[in-house]
């Protein structure tokens, strides 16, 4: 049994082979290949329980109406339940069948291919391709094509020299031998790169039949942890301290020495199809990394001392890479639920439900406050104002009705506000649609990069609502520079994001990381932006400017009203700072899991929870902004436009503070380049979140102000 302390970084940061630093989608057995990239298999519609097994189920002949089915699937995405849950298959799902060499056919393959993905580490933001290391390379093999999402997140899947035949066991089979002469500069550089990767605990990620090859081991409390990756090797410090995976073997004891895992014992589990004629389906692939010196290269027996590389070693160093493979039938695991054993070692459901309950308490509190204002205070105010209009005391107005002649006065910097609203609308719709598809299972971990591809393509196609909203509000603010408005909507916020992204990409280029975007992909992204998004933004702006300006329920006076001296809590800054606390309180637990999936390479699959938190965030931002807006109007301060945007948008500042705290308290990232990359990408997320939440707050406040001033009688 392994102690948790020495393997703290391994246990707290399991690698996700199938989940790139983007958010992996859907549940453990959700193997749909929907999204916007070419599917590996025809899509399946499923919305699994988080952290539960999934059983296949046929749709009944008399299915309920489609809207009822979709609603049920949405609820299933976040519902607790028994250890098994139902998944709905769409026609055409085609898992791969395997059989022995003599029985192979077009429908039943005998050869099992093993693919290798990029290598990454929790101590560095820089992933590297498999070919960047001096490992055994495949002599031939077709490299799978990557979609846009995979390329953006540095996914690089390559064929490997490890080839298996179904149900044919191999023992200590030699793959290749690598020889290094330390006096040669090229060999020394390769060896130093290998040592550095072991020091930073870089991890292999292998794929068999679109499933991760996992390393499972026992930890404390009787739990078994399955890591979708395994380390290149480990290091014993000059003081004799075993780092990372070196604690698994007592023979790793030489000081200032690296131990490389040059042998793997692979066990492939399969499930025989009920009919028997279709062969078998792979349900799991597990390995155990080992280290052997292989003194007799021509006759490897996988015994003897471990393969050690002293930090001060000189002369010739030979590393032989070998593997053993065995097969075992497992009647308990079905193909549809083959992800479960990986996710069972990440039991976060109870924390997720705590997050949901915490958020719901905040929402109920805010809803109660808003309801009290709407039903009691506002109702009384409106009744009193309307009653006073029929009496001779109409001149003695007070409260929020006093500012009716200034409430819709155009704000300062109306151009910038309208541009932010357009970009925020684009992001809001993109997030909603992406999460909705993710919850329904169209974007699964098996279809790598589908989530990011879907988000980027949606953003490009949503240029029309961005241009329309920006133009509509700019016109209502009395603006006339429509060309400037359209150009800023098209280029300001996307330009800031692209500039940041390009600078980060230059750093990745300089470091030789696989996460650097190829020049051709950058050109393709620019083409999507300039050739599709910008014209669509112009079309939206054309229709926005063509429509009449938004009609307000009250007229605006020519002379602005003087705003009285404000108390401390009704001044803009304290209100803005207070306004972001409650929305952030709803999401900060969920934020931990999202940051883990991005920076610690953990699998994120609870999209039912995330969609629920998204809805709660929208409600909380709206209610908090409406509350503060009402208090400011009662204090006769009618500058609500920018304040409503900044009040809920300030949640992004708390997001930034939390990201800084997460970097110093949770991550083990070292190196200047990795640190710059972390904060560079974080600033992109903060800007997007600022526009997203600020737009929600503005629209909520705009609706509130329009509503209350439309029901009072004004002379």
């Amino acid at each position: 049994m392994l102690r948790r302390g020495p393997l703290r970084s391994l246990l707290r940061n399991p690698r996700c082979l199938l989940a790139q630093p983007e958010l992996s989608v859907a549940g453990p057995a959700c193997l749909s290949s929907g999204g916007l990239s070419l599917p590996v298999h025809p899509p399946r519609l499923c919305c699994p329980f988080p952290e539960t097994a999934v059983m296949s189920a046929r749709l009944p002949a008399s299915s309920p109406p489609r809207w009822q089915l979709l609603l049920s699937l949405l609820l299933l995405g976040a519902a607790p339940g028994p250890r098994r849950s139902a998944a709905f298959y769409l026609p055409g799902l085609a898992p791969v069948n395997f059989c022995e060499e003599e029985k192979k056919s077009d429908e039943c393959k005998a050869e099992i291919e093993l693919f290798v993905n990029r290598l990454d580490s929790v101590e560095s933001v820089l992933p590297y391709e498999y070919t960047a290391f001096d490992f055994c390379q495949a002599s031939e093999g077709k490299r799978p094509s990557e979609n846009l999402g995979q390329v953006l997140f540095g996914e690089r899947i390559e064929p490997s020299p490890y080839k298996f035949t179904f149900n044919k066991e191999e023992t200590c089979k030699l793959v290749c031998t690598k020889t290094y002469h330390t006096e040669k500069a090229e060999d020394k550089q390769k060896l130093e790169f290998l040592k550095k990767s072991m020091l930073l605990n870089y991890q292999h990620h292998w794929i068999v039949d679109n499933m991760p090859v996992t390393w499972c081991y026992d930890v404390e409390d009787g739990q078994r942890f399955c890591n979708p990756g395994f380390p290149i090797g480990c290091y014993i410090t000059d003081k004799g301290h075993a780092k990372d995976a070196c604690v698994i073997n007592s023979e790793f004891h030489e000081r200032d020495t690296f131990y490389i895992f040059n042998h793997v014992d692979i066990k492939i589990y399969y499930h025989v199809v009920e009919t028997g004629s279709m062969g078998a389906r792979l349900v799991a692939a597990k390995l155990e990394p080992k280290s052997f010196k292989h003194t007799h290269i021509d006759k490897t027996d996988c015994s003897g001392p471990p393969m050690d590389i002293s930090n001060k070693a000189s002369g010739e160093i030979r590393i032989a890479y070998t593997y053993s493979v065995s097969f075992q039938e497992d009647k308990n695991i079905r193909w549809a639920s083959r992800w479960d054993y990986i996710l069972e070692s990440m039991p976060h459901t109870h924390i997720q439900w705590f997050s949901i309950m915490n958020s719901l308490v905040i929402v109920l509190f805010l809803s109660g406050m808003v309801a009290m204002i709407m039903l009691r205070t506002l109702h009384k105010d409106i009744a009193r104002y309307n009653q006073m209009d029929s009496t001779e005391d109409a001149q003695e107005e007070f409260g929020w009705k006093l500012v009716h002649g200034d409430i819709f006065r155009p704000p300062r910097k109306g151009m910038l506000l309208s541009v932010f609203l357009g970009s925020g609308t684009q992001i809001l719709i993109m997030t909603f649609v992406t999460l909705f598809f993710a919850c329904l299972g169209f974007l699964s971990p098996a279809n790598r990069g589908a989530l990011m591809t879907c988000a980027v393509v949606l953003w490009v196609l949503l240029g029309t609502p961005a241009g329309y909203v920006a133009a509509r509000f700019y016109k209502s603010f009395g603006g006339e520079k429509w060309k400037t408005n359209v150009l800023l909507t098209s280029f300001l916020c996307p330009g800031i994001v692209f500039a940041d992204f390009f600078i980060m990409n230059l750093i990745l280029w300089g470091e030789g990381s696989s996460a650097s975007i190829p020049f051709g992909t950058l050109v393709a992204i620019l083409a999507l932006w300039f050739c599709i998004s910008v014209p669509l933004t112009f079309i939206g702006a054309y229709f926005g400017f063509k429509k009449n300006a938004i009609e307000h329920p009250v007229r605006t006076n020519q002379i602005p009203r003087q705003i009285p001296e404000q108390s401390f809590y009704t001044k803009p800054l304290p209100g803005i700072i207070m306004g972001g606390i409650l929305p952030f309180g709803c999401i900060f637990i969920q934020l931990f899991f999202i940051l883990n999936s991005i920076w610690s390479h953990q699998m994120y699959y609870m999209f039912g929870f995330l969609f629920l938190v998204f809805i709660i965030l929208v409600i909380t931002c709206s209610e908090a902004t409406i509350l503060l807006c009402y208090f400011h109007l009662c204090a006769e301060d009618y500058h609500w436009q920018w304040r409503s945007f900044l009040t809920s948008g300030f949640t992004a500042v708390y997001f930034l503070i939390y990201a800084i705290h997460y970097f110093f308290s949770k991550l083990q990232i070292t190196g200047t380049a990795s640190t710059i990359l972390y904060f560079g990408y974080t600033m992109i997320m903060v800007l997007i979140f600022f526009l997203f939440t600020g737009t929600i707050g503005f629209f909520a406040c705009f609706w509130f102000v329009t509503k209350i001033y439309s029901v009072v009688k004004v002379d």
Side-chain angles (χ1 to χ4, degrees):
M1 182 170 289
L2 301 180
R3 292 179 292 115
R4 190 181 295 268
L7 281 182
R8 180 165 56 89
S9 62
L10 259 71
L11 306 187
R12 192 179 63 191
N13 301 296
R15 309 303 189 282
C16 176
L17 177 62
L18 294 181
Q20 55 279 6
E22 68 169 299
L23 304 182
S24 296
V25 197
C30 189
L31 297 176
S32 65
S33 298
L36 294 167
S37 57
L38 291 175
V40 179
H41 302 305
R44 184 185 88 181
L45 176 62
C46 67
C47 195
F49 294 126
E51 198 197 323
T52 56
V54 180
M55 293 175 62
S56 62
R58 299 290 179 184
L59 278 170
S62 57
S63 301
R66 184 175 296 177
W67 67 270
Q68 291 183 7
L69 178 61
L70 292 178
L71 182 60
S72 303
L73 292 173
L74 266 177
L75 294 174
L76 281 175
R83 298 299 298 172
R84 297 279 170 186
S85 67
F88 298 92
Y89 282 60
L90 289 180
L93 182 68
V96 181
N97 297 319
F98 294 91
C99 54
E100 288 80 359
E101 181 75 32
E102 59 273 10
K103 297 180 183 178
K104 71 175 184 178
S105 64
D106 293 339
E107 296 181 355
C108 194
K109 295 170 62 178
E111 187 182 66
I112 300 173
E113 290 184 278
L114 188 147
F115 291 95
V116 290
N117 206 342
R118 54 92 179 275
L119 289 85
D120 54 33
S121 167
V122 293
E123 297 181 32
S124 174
V125 178
L126 304 167
Y128 290 99
E129 292 185 49
Y130 180 85
T131 52
F133 298 85
D134 192 33
F135 298 134
C136 302
Q137 306 293 333
S139 56
E140 58 182 16
K142 187 179 179 182
R143 177 174 176 171
S145 59
E146 285 116 5
N147 58 37
L148 181 61
Q150 287 177 277
V151 174
L152 288 176
F153 278 106
E155 288 288 303
R156 301 293 184 269
I157 300 174
E158 309 267 357
S160 80
Y162 298 85
K163 307 288 183 185
F164 317 129
T165 302
F166 181 74
N167 243 347
K168 182 183 178 183
E169 299 194 355
E170 301 277 2
T171 304
C172 204
K173 185 173 181 179
L174 180 67
V175 183
C176 74
T177 304
K178 294 292 181 179
T179 305
Y180 302 94
H181 299 278
T182 52
E183 62 273 8
K184 291 184 179 179
E186 185 182 355
D187 285 2
K188 188 177 181 181
Q189 185 180 2
K190 289 179 181 178
L191 197 61
E192 288 300 319
F193 188 60
L194 202 60
K195 288 179 182 178
K196 183 183 177 183
S197 65
M198 287 188 274
L199 192 64
L200 291 174
N201 196 25
Y202 269 82
Q203 305 254 328
H204 285 283
H205 295 300
W206 290 2
I207 307 168
V208 166
D209 190 31
N210 217 17
M211 276 288 291
V213 183
T214 57
W215 174 32
C216 298
Y217 46 82
D218 293 323
V219 293
E220 59 187 17
D221 302 328
Q223 295 179 348
R224 189 162 180 80
F225 179 76
C226 288
N227 184 7
F230 66 96
I232 296 173
C234 59
Y235 176 61
I236 303 290
T237 64
D238 52 3
K239 295 181 179 179
H241 173 65
K243 284 195 67 180
D244 302 313
C246 274
V247 297
I248 67 173
N249 193 334
S250 59
E251 294 184 22
F252 298 166
H253 54 74
E254 294 291 333
R255 297 190 175 196
D256 197 21
T257 301
F258 294 91
Y259 291 91
I260 187 166
F261 293 119
N262 60 333
H263 174 83
V264 286
D265 284 334
I266 302 171
K267 180 173 276 191
I268 296 176
Y269 297 83
Y270 63 91
H271 173 84
V272 178
V273 182
E274 286 80 353
T275 59
S277 60
M278 295 173 64
R281 294 171 184 171
L282 307 187
V283 293
K286 300 179 183 179
L287 64 73
E288 186 177 350
K290 294 181 179 179
S291 181
F292 296 113
K293 201 149 200 172
H294 295 308
T295 49
H296 302 288
I297 301 296
D298 54 340
K299 193 177 180 181
T300 55
D301 58 357
C302 294
S303 62
M307 181 66 221
D308 59 332
I309 306 171
S310 174
N311 207 11
K312 300 184 178 80
S314 59
E316 184 182 89
I317 298 172
R318 301 178 74 187
I319 304 174
Y321 291 92
T322 57
Y323 74 91
S324 299
V325 62
S326 60
F327 293 83
Q328 180 179 325
E329 183 179 358
D330 193 326
K331 297 181 180 179
N332 298 321
I333 303 176
R334 300 180 67 86
W335 184 85
S337 57
R338 61 182 187 164
W339 290 75
D340 300 353
Y341 80 97
I342 303 172
L343 303 174
E344 283 172 359
S345 61
M346 295 186 285
H348 297 318
T349 307
H350 61 288
I351 302 175
Q352 297 280 349
W353 279 111
F354 171 77
S355 166
I356 296 294
M357 295 309 296
N358 169 62
S359 303
L360 286 174
V361 167
I362 294 174
V363 167
L364 287 173
F365 166 73
L366 281 173
S367 299
M369 292 284 288
V370 172
M372 186 178 69
I373 288 175
M374 293 288 191
L375 299 177
R376 297 188 60 189
T377 314
L378 267 178
H379 184 72
K380 287 181 180 177
D381 286 351
I382 292 167
R384 185 165 63 248
Y385 290 155
N386 290 340
Q387 187 178 6
M388 286 171 57
D389 282 339
S390 58
T391 66
E392 296 178 357
D393 302 325
Q395 292 81 10
E396 299 177 10
E397 293 180 352
F398 59 91
W400 52 266
K401 190 184 177 185
L402 272 174
V403 295
H404 67 81
D406 299 274
I407 193 67
F408 292 107
R409 189 174 298 282
R412 297 173 189 156
K413 307 290 183 186
M415 172 78 81
L416 185 62
L417 179 59
S418 65
V419 169
F420 281 175
L421 289 173
S423 297
T425 304
Q426 195 173 9
I427 294 165
L428 178 63
I429 301 172
M430 178 197 76
T431 308
F432 175 81
V433 175
T434 304
L435 286 181
F436 184 76
F437 282 151
C439 182
L440 293 180
F442 287 115
L443 312 174
S444 79
N447 189 20
R448 298 172 186 82
L451 181 74
M452 188 62 184
T453 305
C454 180
V456 170
V457 173
L458 279 172
W459 179 84
V460 168
L461 297 177
L462 288 169
T464 303
Y468 180 82
V469 169
R472 198 98 168 82
F473 278 99
Y474 181 63
K475 189 174 182 179
S476 73
F477 295 157
E480 296 178 354
K481 298 178 181 177
W482 63 271
K483 293 178 183 176
T484 308
N485 181 261
V486 178
L487 290 171
L488 284 176
T489 306
S490 302
F491 295 109
L492 179 62
C493 297
I496 293 171
V497 171
F498 185 82
D500 189 328
F501 184 76
F502 184 74
I503 293 168
M504 298 303 105
N505 203 51
L506 287 177
I507 297 172
L508 290 168
W509 267 336
E511 296 289 333
S513 172
S514 71
S516 62
I517 310 302
F519 180 74
T521 307
L522 278 176
V523 172
I525 293 171
L526 286 172
L528 286 172
W529 180 15
F530 284 96
C531 301
I532 300 177
S533 181
V534 172
L536 287 175
T537 307
F538 271 79
I539 291 170
Y542 170 77
F543 286 107
F545 279 113
K546 194 176 181 182
K547 288 199 74 172
N548 295 328
I550 299 171
E551 291 187 10
H552 302 306
V554 289
R555 292 192 304 271
T556 301
N557 295 337
Q558 290 185 347
I559 302 173
R561 180 186 179 84
Q562 187 174 358
I563 299 172
E565 184 70 25
Q566 299 291 304
S567 59
F568 174 76
Y569 68 91
T570 56
K571 287 181 179 178
L573 191 59
I576 289 168
I577 294 172
M578 287 188 294
I581 294 175
L582 290 175
F584 179 76
C586 291
I587 63 163
F588 80 97
I589 296 177
Q590 197 69 229
L591 201 57
F592 171 77
F593 294 107
I594 293 172
L595 291 177
N596 262 2
S597 74
I598 297 173
W599 302 114
S600 298
H601 317 300
Q602 292 188 11
M603 185 178 290
Y604 190 94
Y605 59 97
M606 302 183 198
F607 274 78
F609 283 117
L610 189 59
F611 190 75
L612 203 56
V613 169
F614 169 79
I615 299 299
I616 290 171
L617 175 65
V618 172
I619 296 170
T620 311
C621 284
S622 304
E623 292 181 342
T625 310
I626 288 172
L627 268 177
L628 290 168
C629 182
Y630 175 77
F631 294 145
H632 286 107
L633 291 180
C634 288
E636 300 177 25
D637 186 352
Y638 52 84
H639 294 308
W640 61 271
Q641 291 97 334
W642 269 111
R643 191 166 49 227
S644 63
F645 189 92
L646 295 174
T647 297
S648 55
F650 203 79
T651 311
V653 177
Y654 291 109
F655 177 10
L656 176 61
I657 294 169
Y658 183 81
I660 295 170
H661 162 74
Y662 179 84
F663 177 82
F664 288 106
S665 65
K666 304 293 182 186
L667 294 181
Q668 305 159 29
I669 289 175
T670 55
T672 307
S674 292
T675 304
I676 294 171
L677 287 166
Y678 175 86
F679 286 104
Y681 286 127
T682 298
M683 292 311 296
I684 292 177
M685 291 189 282
V686 167
L687 174 62
I688 290 171
F689 196 67
F690 169 72
L691 296 171
F692 164 70
T693 50
T695 302
I696 295 169
F698 178 87
F699 282 136
C701 202
F702 179 76
W703 171 83
F704 173 74
V705 168
T706 305
K707 201 74 177 171
I708 63 172
Y709 283 97
S710 63
V711 293
V712 293
K713 297 176 183 176
V714 178
D715 294 335

